[in-house]
Amino acid sequence: MNSGRARGFTMIEVLVTLVIIGVVSGTLALIWGNAFKGRSWAFKKDYHSTAMAIAARSIQSDMQNSTMLVSEETSANNKWLRGGINIGQDGCFPTASVETAGKPTWYWYCLTEGSTNPDYGQVEYDLYRYSKSIDNDVKQYPGCPKHGSTTPAGVYGTFGTSSTDPAALTYPTMSSCGSALSDGTIATKVVGGLSAGAFTKDSRYPGQVNIHLEIFKPASASTGTRPIAESVNLRLKVQSSLTSKS
């Protein structure tokens, strides 16, 4: 005779089912967590790799177009790189027709003093770039054939020199890397989170600079089990027409 009712779950069956669900859920959470960490690490690695590539292209573009590189030391511990486009090493500008070479332009790269990143417990640096075109009336008068008080202002010019030329210009001053310069020029952040960086010039090779930029993030809970390491090492020289500054 049929009792008319389906047999229900026993307490033991319910408990076993709950245990199985707990084990499966824990396993899935572990798998998803590891997958998320892996994707997070890959994203951060790609991000830093792209940032370093952009920084390298920016510096390469400026150096390859440069006609002038400041011969002074690049500041304490080689943290600066300063140069000019369509500006001669003697400070005369423009060195070529503005229509073909563009306006005389100066640029200035600098590395910050560094600050501790609490996520990794290490000191990191940011790289900034300043740039500004010189808007004097130089379109019709390429070169700088003469200096002195007889030179018409705004016709010939010198940049970054101590000439008495009326059109003499110099780099503005900087209070700290990343802050606005004394003339109001705003910094552009090129890459952040560097673990090391330097611009090294060799006096034996005028116009040549060795550039080293490095990002290293040690393994941590936030990046998974693997570290992140990206670096840029460049040896660049300004245009071959550069002559050594006396």
Side-chain angles (χ1 to χ4, degrees):
M1 181 175 176
N2 193 333
S3 64
R5 289 189 178 184
R7 188 176 68 88
F9 292 109
T10 66
M11 181 62 68
I12 293 176
E13 289 173 330
V14 172
L15 292 175
V16 169
T17 301
L18 291 175
V19 170
I20 293 173
I21 292 173
V23 171
V24 171
S25 298
T27 302
L28 289 176
L30 181 62
I31 293 172
W32 290 336
N34 289 335
F36 177 78
K37 285 183 179 180
R39 293 185 65 181
S40 175
W41 177 88
F43 172 80
K44 290 180 179 180
K45 187 177 189 303
D46 288 344
Y47 172 83
H48 291 303
S49 177
T50 300
M52 291 290 270
I54 292 173
R57 283 197 296 269
S58 176
I59 297 170
Q60 282 179 313
S61 177
D62 281 332
M63 286 290 293
Q64 289 169 356
N65 290 312
S66 291
T67 51
M68 173 247 204
L69 190 66
V70 176
S71 58
E72 68 189 29
E73 289 299 320
T74 52
S75 87
N77 299 319
N78 298 321
K79 299 301 184 183
W80 293 354
L81 174 65
R82 302 200 296 187
I85 298 169
N86 206 5
I87 302 171
Q89 185 67 5
D90 61 356
C92 297
F93 65 85
T95 59
S97 168
V98 173
E99 283 76 7
T100 58
K103 288 184 177 181
T105 302
W106 58 261
Y107 61 86
W108 187 349
Y109 288 91
C110 65
L111 289 160
T112 57
E113 292 298 321
S115 59
T116 301
N117 184 330
D119 293 333
Y120 297 99
Q122 63 182 16
V123 176
E124 295 182 348
Y125 311 87
D126 297 333
L127 175 66
Y128 284 90
R129 176 183 183 270
Y130 300 86
S131 182
K132 189 173 183 179
S133 62
I134 299 173
D135 295 322
N136 288 41
D137 183 15
V138 293
K139 291 186 178 181
Q140 306 302 319
Y141 302 93
C144 184
K146 58 182 179 178
H147 297 280
S149 60
T150 59
T151 304
V155 176
Y156 305 110
T158 57
F159 178 81
T161 74
S162 58
S163 169
T164 57
D165 188 303
L169 301 170
T170 59
Y171 282 95
T173 57
M174 175 197 298
S175 58
S176 62
C177 181
S179 62
L181 300 183
S182 59
D183 70 344
T185 303
I186 302 298
T188 300
K189 190 173 183 177
V190 180
V191 63
L194 295 168
S195 54
F199 301 98
T200 308
K201 290 188 285 188
D202 190 333
S203 59
R204 297 173 298 175
Y205 306 99
Q208 181 173 291
V209 181
N210 296 322
I211 297 106
H212 173 70
L213 303 174
E214 180 181 336
I215 287 178
F216 177 75
K217 308 292 184 184
S220 71
S222 63
T223 60
T225 59
R226 292 170 290 176
I228 295 174
E230 298 289 339
S231 64
V232 166
N233 291 284
L234 301 170
R235 178 175 293 175
L236 300 174
K237 194 176 189 300
V238 300
Q239 292 185 16
S240 58
S241 60
L242 175 72
T243 57
S244 177
K245 184 176 179 180
S246 58

